[in-house]
Amino acid sequence: MVKAQIIKAVAKTTAQDIEITAMVINEFLNQIQDSLVEGDTVYLENFGTFKIFTLGEKTVIDKNTNKEIVLPAKKIPDFSAAKELRLAVKNSDTVL
C-alpha cells in the first residue's frame, strides 16, 4: 500500500473529502518527521515508536586500495513495532 491508497482508504472510511484527508495525513507525517529531526521520540500507542538511532564513526578498509577509510557518524530513523501491531501481523492469515 502506498500513501495515495492510504489517503483514499481513510477518506472513504471517514466519509471525508480526499483533499482534506490528504492534508491531514501529510501534516501527520510532517509532524513525525519534524519531531525526529529535533531529536524527539514519537510514540503511537498500540502502533509503535519512531526514534533516531545514531551510528558512530567507524574505520573500514577499502578492499580495492587496502586503505583505511573513516565513515562519519550518521543518524538513521528507526521504528519499533508495538506489541499489538506485532501480534496483529503475526496472527494474520496473509502469506507473502
Side-chain angles (χ1 to χ4, degrees):
M1 180 175 266
V2 296
K3 187 165 79 168
Q5 292 170 315
I6 293 170
I7 291 169
K8 286 180 184 177
V10 171
K12 181 178 179 182
T13 303
T14 60
Q16 293 294 320
D17 186 53
I18 288 181
E19 288 79 19
I20 293 172
T21 304
M23 286 175 29
V24 170
I25 290 176
N26 285 329
E27 185 56 31
F28 172 75
L29 295 173
N30 287 338
Q31 290 297 320
I32 291 173
Q33 179 177 321
D34 292 348
S35 294
L36 292 173
V37 167
E38 292 174 9
D40 296 334
T41 297
V42 178
Y43 172 70
L44 302 173
E45 189 173 347
N46 300 327
F47 187 75
T49 304
F50 295 91
K51 59 187 171 185
I52 295 297
F53 179 73
T54 303
L55 288 178
E57 179 181 276
K58 69 179 184 177
T59 303
V60 297
I61 297 180
D62 183 342
K63 291 182 181 182
N64 294 329
T65 63
N66 272 344
K67 292 185 180 180
E68 286 188 353
I69 300 171
V70 177
L71 300 177
K74 61 181 177 178
K75 296 178 183 178
I76 301 171
D78 184 43
F79 175 75
S80 299
K83 180 180 178 181
E84 295 81 1
L85 178 59
R86 287 193 312 268
L87 289 174
V89 171
K90 180 181 178 181
N91 296 329
S92 71
D93 292 334
T94 305
V95 178
L96 301 178

